[in-house]
């Protein structure tokens, strides 16, 4: 099913976000002090190269042979605070709203669990159930996986992989599910939040439903955000434009695969379409799959000319050299799984040389060009990268 296009200009009462929450009108101290705030023209400038922890300390890939992909349960308080131990700026996480209107942190559309276990020879076997997160109450959602209450046993937790396999969600260090409110209260306050507004690609959402879900999330943000830096993002173009209409405090980025996948909704199929979504909706930036940027490096200057910020995500962002290359291209930050390795690599390859160059009297542009490549070498690499990505 296709995503239903909503003409944002026709949506009624978009300014009726609760006015009794003063924190919604506040910018974080980081945004204000370093120029990250929205100005009168609603443009947005990132003052430094951002490193953002993907789902906290990194996403879980259960079938991976790399133990780092199964170290800590993704999208949990433990994962978020583990990421905060390293020199990163933000964590990224996924927010959905339960049927009783509580924003919770979870990536997948469905939760899988095994019930009615029966011992057959030496193994326990049962029936696998799938439950849509947004059709669960908060109490039902929290009953899966590890429980905070001592002695309480949670329901088993499985996960469906992209190739259709259903595996036990086993990680080295587990943790309980959490709500958005808990995340604000329990995560290091110096850490910014990149809040991805999660919607199912296969559902056509009515505008009233989108508005309701977004207002529920904004209510929690307004109550708990205080001075914390926040960026909203979404793959759903209508949701992204709506959340921009519903508030003017925090920047909104449009998430895109950058042409690496094809969707029925053409707005999701290229960086050029992403630029249009941002310009039409007054958004502040784009978050693209890094392969989409490397496959179309000419889009970067067009994004910059449109006064939009550009972040990336994807497996290549776990490679230090690919991250450094993006900095040289003018990309504003990366969402990464290997938080420790990439944050330290950025410090060694980008931050320290940049600071040394500035101390020597060079401007930032000159210092950037001295980090790894000459301008001629950079131009050659930008021409070569799309060929490597397509093969």
């Amino acid at each position: 099913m296709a995503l239903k296009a909503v003409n944002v200009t026709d949506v009624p009462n978009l300014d009726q976000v609760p006015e009794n929450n003063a924190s919604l009108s506040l910018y974080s101290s980081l945004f204000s002090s370093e120029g990250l705030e929205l100005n009168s023209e609603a443009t947005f400038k990132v003052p430094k190269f951002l490193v953002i922890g993907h789902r906290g300390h990194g996403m879980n890939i259960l079938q991976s042979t790399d133990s780092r992909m199964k170290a800590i349960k993704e999208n949990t308080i433990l994962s978020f605070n583990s990421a905060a131990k390293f020199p990163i700026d933000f964590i990224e996480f996924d927010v959905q709203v339960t049927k009783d209107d509580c924003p919770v942190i979870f990536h997948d559309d469905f939760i899988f669990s095994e019930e009615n276990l029966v011992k057959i020879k030496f193994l326990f076997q049962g029936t696998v159930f799938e439950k849509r997160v947004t059709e669960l109450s908060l109490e039902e959602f929290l009953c899966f996986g590890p429980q905070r209450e001592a002695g309480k046993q949670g329901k088993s937790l499985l996960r469906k992989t992209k190739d259709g396999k259903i595996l036990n969600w086993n990680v080295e260090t587990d943790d309980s599910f959490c709500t958005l409110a808990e995340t604000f209260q329990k995560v290091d306050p110096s850490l910014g939040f990149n809040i991805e507004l999660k919607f199912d690609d296969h559902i056509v959402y009515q505008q009233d439903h989108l508005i309701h879900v977004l207002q529920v999330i904004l209510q929690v943000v307004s109550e708990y955000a205080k001075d914390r830096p926040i960026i909203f993002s979404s793959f759903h173009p209508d949701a992204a434009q709506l959340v921009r209409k519903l508030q003017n405090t925090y920047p909104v980025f449009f998430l895109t695969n950058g042409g690496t996948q094809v969707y029925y909704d053409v707005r999701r199929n290229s960086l050029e379409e992403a630029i249009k979504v941002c310009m039409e909706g007054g958004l502040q930036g784009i978050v693209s799959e890094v392969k989409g940027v490397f496959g179309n490096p000419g889009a970067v200057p067009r994004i910059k000319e449109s006064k939009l910020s550009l972040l990336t995500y994807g497996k290549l962002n776990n490679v230090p050299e690919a991250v450094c290359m993006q900095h040289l291209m003018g990309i504003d930050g990366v969402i990464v799984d290997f938080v420790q390795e990439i944050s330290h690599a950025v410090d060694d390859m980008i931050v320290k040389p940049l600071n040394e160059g500035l101390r020597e009297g060079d401007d930032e542009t000159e210092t950037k060009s001295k980090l790894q490549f000459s301008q001629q070498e950079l131009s050659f690499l930008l021409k070569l990268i799309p060929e490597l990505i397509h093969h």
Side-chain angles (χ1 to χ4, degrees):
M1 298 170 71
L3 295 172
K4 182 179 180 181
V6 176
N7 188 343
V8 178
T9 58
D10 293 336
V11 176
N13 302 320
L14 289 183
D15 296 324
Q16 294 180 1
V17 180
E19 297 178 357
N20 58 338
N21 294 291
S23 61
L24 198 63
S25 64
L26 294 175
Y27 292 97
S28 70
S29 58
L30 173 62
F31 277 46
S32 299
S33 63
E34 298 196 35
L36 261 171
E37 66 180 48
L38 303 182
N39 62 26
S40 60
E41 297 179 350
T43 57
F44 171 78
K45 181 174 174 56
V46 177
K48 56 171 288 191
F49 188 76
L50 300 178
V51 178
I52 302 170
H54 188 208
R55 305 181 199 172
H57 192 264
M59 70 181 291
N60 296 150
I61 301 181
L62 302 179
Q63 66 272 39
S64 175
T65 57
D66 191 326
S67 61
R68 291 173 295 183
M69 307 305 293
K70 296 173 283 189
I72 303 173
K73 173 69 71 60
E74 69 179 36
N75 276 335
T76 60
I77 302 295
L78 177 63
S79 182
F80 300 152
N81 281 326
S82 297
K85 296 175 182 178
F86 302 101
I88 66 172
D89 306 286
F90 283 74
I91 52 170
E92 179 271 351
F93 54 79
D94 311 275
V95 174
Q96 303 185 57
V97 174
T98 61
K99 71 177 182 182
D100 51 350
D101 285 347
C102 183
V104 295
I105 314 298
F106 195 74
H107 174 270
D108 301 356
D109 297 319
F110 293 91
I111 286 180
F112 289 83
S113 183
E114 194 170 23
E115 301 178 8
N116 304 321
L117 292 176
V118 177
K119 189 173 183 180
I120 301 176
K121 294 184 178 180
F122 301 104
L123 298 174
F124 283 94
Q125 295 183 357
T127 304
V128 174
F129 290 89
E130 67 172 20
K131 301 175 190 275
R132 184 178 290 279
V133 173
T134 55
E135 293 177 355
L136 297 172
S137 67
L138 174 62
E139 183 180 4
E140 290 169 334
F141 172 76
L142 294 177
C143 76
F144 293 94
Q147 301 294 293
R148 298 209 178 107
E149 185 179 333
K152 187 175 182 180
Q153 183 72 31
K155 293 184 179 180
S156 68
L157 190 61
L158 312 175
R159 192 175 207 180
K160 191 173 186 178
T161 64
K162 288 186 176 181
D163 59 4
K165 294 179 182 177
I166 297 178
L167 305 175
N168 286 311
W169 199 330
N170 295 327
V171 293
E172 184 177 329
T173 308
D174 215 336
D175 195 20
S176 307
F177 288 166
C178 60
T179 66
L180 179 60
E182 282 182 291
T183 304
F184 275 110
Q185 294 171 302
K186 297 180 179 179
V187 173
D188 187 327
S190 67
L191 202 59
F193 285 175
N194 173 192
I195 300 175
E196 181 183 338
L197 307 166
K198 194 78 179 176
F199 296 94
D200 190 331
D201 288 345
H202 302 98
I203 291 180
V204 176
Y205 294 97
Q206 300 299 316
Q207 66 179 38
D208 288 348
H209 177 76
L210 287 175
I211 292 170
H212 174 74
V213 168
L214 295 173
Q215 287 180 326
V216 168
I217 294 169
L218 287 172
Q219 180 70 34
V220 173
V221 172
S222 71
E223 185 173 351
Y224 294 101
K226 297 181 180 179
D227 291 338
R228 191 185 297 273
I230 292 173
I231 295 172
F232 289 113
S233 63
S234 183
F235 281 103
H236 195 306
D238 301 321
Q241 293 182 338
L242 283 168
V243 79
R244 175 69 186 92
K245 287 281 188 180
L246 285 165
Q247 59 82 46
N248 59 6
T249 301
Y250 303 112
V252 181
F253 283 40
F254 179 49
L255 272 159
T256 177
N257 295 96
T260 59
Q261 290 179 260
V262 177
Y263 296 88
Y264 183 84
D265 189 333
V266 296
R267 296 174 296 176
R268 299 185 61 184
N269 287 342
S270 70
L271 288 170
E272 286 72 23
E273 288 294 331
I275 293 172
K276 291 180 185 178
V277 170
C278 291
M279 300 307 291
E280 291 169 1
L283 310 189
Q284 286 73 40
I286 293 169
V287 186
S288 174
E289 217 294 345
V290 60
K291 286 186 177 181
V293 175
F294 279 162
N296 182 15
V300 176
R302 291 195 290 274
I303 291 169
K304 295 300 177 179
E305 289 165 6
S306 301
K307 296 183 180 179
L308 298 171
S309 298
L310 176 60
L311 307 175
T312 67
Y313 71 92
K315 291 181 181 178
L316 280 175
N317 281 354
N318 296 321
V319 180
E321 292 78 7
V323 171
C324 186
M325 183 68 187
Q326 292 178 70
H327 176 253
L328 293 171
M329 292 170 66
I331 291 166
D332 297 300
V334 289
I335 299 173
V336 306
D337 293 303
F338 299 162
V339 170
Q340 178 177 355
E341 293 85 345
I342 298 302
S343 62
H344 289 159
V346 166
D347 195 49
D348 291 338
M349 299 170 66
I350 296 174
V351 177
K352 289 178 181 177
L354 186 61
N355 290 338
E356 289 171 4
L358 294 175
R359 279 196 297 270
E360 292 172 2
D362 294 336
D363 64 27
E364 187 171 344
T365 302
E366 290 175 340
T367 304
K368 267 189 183 182
S369 67
K370 292 178 181 179
L371 292 181
Q372 295 290 337
F373 308 112
S374 69
Q375 192 60 44
Q376 185 176 7
E377 290 169 330
L378 180 59
S379 177
F380 171 76
L381 285 169
L382 289 176
K383 292 177 181 177
L384 177 63
I385 285 173
E387 295 300 319
L388 297 177
I389 293 295
H390 292 313
H391 287 83

